[in-house]
């Protein structure tokens, strides 16, 4: 079973994504801020990390930089309402593998995750 970490401070969106992905058979861990996410990342191996850009304690961008500095090898997708090209570029340069703009439909997210994790196999 593939394991995904979702770091998202917006509770309703986090619940929606977790329910959707669990229905698809993924094992999901949740974090409501950057610090909780970082602790989970250091304790567990994930097939994919989904990060919100704007979170308390550490932003998604700061987390990406910390993950890459620690040389943790995992796929990272940023989920963000900050969808300008310059924001996307910053995220990708920091070490994210993928970017998805909010709002997105749960179906779009599942399709994208299946593409990403299918590539990893």
């Amino acid at each position: 079973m593939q394991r995904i970490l979702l770091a998202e401070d917006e509770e309703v969106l986090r619940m929606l994504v977790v329910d959707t992905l669990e229905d698809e058979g993924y094992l999901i861990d949740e974090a409501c801020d950057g610090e909780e996410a970082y602790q989970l990342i250091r304790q567990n191996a994930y097939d994919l990390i989904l990060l919100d850009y704007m979170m308390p304690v550490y932003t998604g961008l700061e987390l990406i930089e910390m993950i890459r500095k620690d040389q943790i090898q995992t796929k990272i997708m940023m989920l963000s309402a900050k969808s300008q090209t310059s924001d996307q570029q910053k995220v990708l340069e920091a070490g994210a593998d993928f970017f998805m703009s909010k709002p997105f439909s749960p179906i779009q997210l599942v399709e994208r995750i299946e593409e990403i994790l299918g590539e990893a196999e």
Side-chain angles (χ1 to χ4, degrees):
M1 184 178 285
Q2 292 174 309
R3 190 170 189 179
I4 297 174
L5 172 64
L6 171 64
E8 167 63 63
D9 62 324
E10 200 176 309
E11 186 177 3
V12 173
L13 180 58
R14 195 172 63 244
M15 287 172 27
L16 173 69
V17 171
V18 167
D19 287 348
T20 300
L21 296 179
E22 284 179 344
D23 286 349
E24 294 295 321
Y26 295 106
L27 181 63
I28 310 297
D29 289 345
E30 310 173 46
C32 61
D33 63 44
E35 183 175 22
E36 186 181 6
Y38 189 58
Q39 289 172 359
L40 287 167
I41 291 163
R42 293 181 58 97
Q43 294 168 4
N44 303 291
Y46 293 102
D47 297 291
L48 177 65
I49 299 172
L50 303 174
L51 296 176
D52 180 25
Y53 196 110
M54 302 299 291
M55 286 186 295
V57 189
Y58 303 122
T59 66
L61 193 60
E62 290 169 327
L63 265 175
I64 292 168
E65 291 167 349
M66 293 160 68
I67 292 164
R68 294 308 183 210
K69 184 175 167 235
D70 291 347
Q71 297 185 352
I72 296 168
Q73 298 301 312
T74 188
K75 300 270 185 198
I76 301 173
M77 180 162 55
M78 180 71 78
L79 307 172
S80 180
K82 294 172 73 90
S83 58
Q84 302 216 356
T85 306
S86 61
D87 294 316
Q88 290 184 32
Q89 196 62 40
K90 261 189 251 177
V91 166
L92 296 172
E93 285 172 4
D97 300 289
F98 309 95
F99 187 99
M100 181 173 264
S101 298
K102 290 180 184 177
F104 51 81
S105 77
I107 293 167
Q108 284 176 307
L109 181 62
V110 167
E111 287 173 352
R112 192 71 178 112
I113 289 171
E114 286 174 352
E115 282 175 33
I116 293 167
L117 294 178
E119 290 169 7
E121 288 176 22

